[in-house]
Amino acid sequence: MVSRSSSELKALLLTLAVAATPACSTVRPEDKEFLAHPAMTFGSEGDREGQEEHVLQNREASFGAGGVSGGGCGCN
Amino acid sequence: MQLTRLLLWAWLGVAALGSVAEAQVTVGSTTSFYRESGGGLESTAITPSLQIRGDIQDVVTLRAGWEADIVSGASVAVVDAPGGEVDAVTSATKWNDFRNTATAGIGVASEFARLDASYTYGHESDYRSHGFQLSAQAELFDRNTTLSISYGRGFDKVCNLRQPTALEAVDRQRLPTSDGCFGGEDRESLDLAIHTFQGGWTQAWAPILATQLTLTAQVLHGYQGNPYRAVWLGRAAAQEHHPEHRARYAGGLGVRLWLAPLRGALQLFGRLYRDTWNIRSVTAELAYDQTVAEGLRVRVRGRYYNQTGAHFYSDDYTRFPRGQYFTGDRELSPMSSWLVGGRLEYDIPANDEGSVGPFARFVLAAKFDWIKYDFRAFHYGQVSVPNNTGILATLGLEAGF
């Protein structure tokens, strides 16, 4: 029982640490010049990549986790 | 007709709101050409599309889109075992198909969050689909973190040959043609329900580093086979028979690193996938995006994909049956693929007045991919898959008003 509680506590602390990590890694708005570049923005290719995804989905059994658009530059 | 009407209403909606509410309207169009070549089973798909988007005072976004698939080729109707005597490839059936989809959507945004809803209608001679999608996105921690969730629901209908319900799977015949679908007395439509859940976490870690984690789960229930395809079972051929339930899970991680001295970005992507048909796959992608002049970018990339086969897949059901299910689908066999490609994109720089001729913005793009498939455990009779090379070329433009 002791060992189970201990491992659950460790898992909880690890989860909290991972969840808090983004808050610690702040990039200031004035430092986002490169992050705002289309090459650094996830999903900026839009429909031009969608048709390739359509082709591959019809020829492979896998699906999903291809990414989402946006990501917010927050430059202004 | 229904599709045309839907698209027309969506177009009118965007145009009317654009004119009264000072919207920024963006029109985009792409056309793709896909060709799979090789010994008698060539296929070609031409896919034109049109998208219109109106952004009203950065709060409301209206979207409408249309896409068509004009597909022609030849396919093997009865997939035989490697020892089969019939030359299945030479006797392949020629076919043509025309698919139309129309999409309409609305989005509402506040300073740090947005909500989107969309509807898609798909129509082809042997398939109908209605799809709804809801998504939400929030930006946190000085916009360094973006969290998103989405849910999609598909209501699909597949045409099939009407056969007695009590008929065993091994006695079922394949659909010979799409003639009479959705109305004919000797045809029936089978349901397929699709639920798709997705969550994403995008994170800016440093001024030159961003990552994106995406998790997807999809649950399908209903008919998931190809009604035209049959499998040779020893004494006779029967329409392929897949399980009605399938749950699919995928996790992907993307990394983007800006290489300041080169003015380019290194893009990495990896994905792991598994489903309840026991297919597991891995995808790895490496790309490099280089800015070569103001507004002009070149992107090159390579992709590798490898998957295991479904638990009920066999290359020879007469000698190695796999329980009650059987398939002639090469995509359910163990396989891998390589892709190399490139893209050229030119976002034409604006003049001193901030415009590009009559447009607020104008982007041109051209893309080319070469794909090589390796179906290591799939045969049409005695021959390996002949059409194992594909090329995909895409031209696109986007204009902002």
Side-chain angles (χ1 to χ4, degrees), chain B residues 243-371:
Chain B
E244 288 203 334
H245 296 274
R246 188 181 190 185
R248 317 167 86 184
Y249 309 99
L253 179 66
V255 179
R256 298 207 169 180
L257 178 68
W258 181 259
L259 304 175
L262 300 174
R263 291 178 67 214
L266 194 63
Q267 304 173 340
L268 300 157
F269 175 72
R271 178 182 70 172
L272 294 173
Y273 167 93
R274 71 174 301 175
D275 64 29
T276 51
W277 290 3
N278 211 25
I279 293 172
R280 296 172 191 211
S281 78
V282 59
T283 309
E285 194 174 310
L286 174 65
Y288 179 68
D289 195 314
Q290 175 71 53
T291 302
V292 291
E294 190 189 355
L296 182 63
R297 288 161 54 209
V298 177
R299 183 180 191 243
V300 289
R301 71 165 183 146
R303 176 186 186 270
Y304 174 70
Y305 172 83
N306 190 33
Q307 73 173 49
T308 62
H311 66 80
F312 56 90
Y313 174 73
S314 174
D315 197 17
D316 184 352
Y317 284 96
T318 57
R319 291 167 60 209
F320 307 109
R322 293 279 188 270
Q324 62 177 309
Y325 301 110
F326 40 92
T327 182
D329 188 352
R330 66 184 201 180
E331 283 88 41
L332 297 181
S333 72
M335 61 161 287
S336 57
S337 70
W338 283 96
L339 180 152
V340 287
R343 190 183 75 215
L344 195 65
E345 185 167 310
Y346 188 36
D347 189 344
I348 300 172
N351 58 24
D352 293 341
E353 283 127 33
S355 61
V356 183
F359 308 107
R361 186 175 179 235
F362 200 88
V363 184
L364 288 166
K367 194 169 170 297
F368 182 84
D369 290 318
W370 177 85
I371 311 166

Side-chain angles (χ1 to χ4, degrees), chain A residues 18-76, chain B residues 30 32 34 36 47 49 51 69 99 137 139 141-146 198 201 203-208 212 214 216 218 246 248 250 252 254 256 258 267 269 271 273 279 281 289 291 297 301 303 305 307 331 335 337 343 345 365 367 369 373 392:
Chain A
V18 169
T21 304
C24 303
S25 68
T26 297
V27 181
R28 290 175 301 177
E30 62 269 27
D31 292 333
K32 289 188 174 175
E33 180 193 347
F34 302 133
L35 292 173
H37 193 281
M40 291 292 287
T41 310
F42 290 96
S44 62
E45 299 83 12
D47 297 300
R48 289 183 289 282
E49 297 296 320
Q51 294 186 354
E52 180 192 297
E53 210 176 295
H54 176 63
V55 164
L56 292 174
Q57 272 176 26
N58 279 304
R59 279 148 191 89
E60 299 170 347
S62 304
F63 163 86
V68 291
S69 62
C73 161
C75 310
N76 45 30
Chain B
T30 60
S32 283
Y34 178 75
E36 217 170 66
T47 311
S49 73
Q51 303 85 36
D69 250 345
R99 179 181 69 98
Q137 185 171 296
E139 293 175 331
F141 307 124
D142 290 337
R143 301 190 182 194
N144 285 296
T145 303
T146 303
Q198 183 158 287
W201 168 29
Q203 182 66 40
W205 296 100
I208 57 164
Q212 184 176 73
T214 312
T216 306
Q218 187 180 62
R246 188 181 190 185
R248 317 167 86 184
R256 298 207 169 180
W258 181 259
Q267 304 173 340
F269 175 72
R271 178 182 70 172
Y273 167 93
I279 293 172
S281 78
D289 195 314
T291 302
R297 288 161 54 209
R301 71 165 183 146
R303 176 186 186 270
Y305 172 83
Q307 73 173 49
E331 283 88 41
M335 61 161 287
S337 70
R343 190 183 75 215
E345 185 167 310
K367 194 169 170 297
D369 290 318
Y373 305 100
L392 175 67

Side-chain angles (χ1 to χ4, degrees), chain B residues 16-60:
Chain B
L17 278 163
S19 62
V20 297
E22 289 185 15
Q24 292 175 305
V25 176
T26 306
V27 178
S29 177
T30 60
T31 300
S32 283
F33 173 82
Y34 178 75
R35 169 86 176 155
E36 217 170 66
S37 54
L41 290 183
E42 288 88 358
S43 66
T44 303
I46 298 167
T47 311
S49 73
L50 179 70
Q51 303 85 36
I52 310 151
R53 191 180 73 235
D55 293 298
I56 304 162
Q57 295 173 349
D58 294 330
V59 176
V60 177

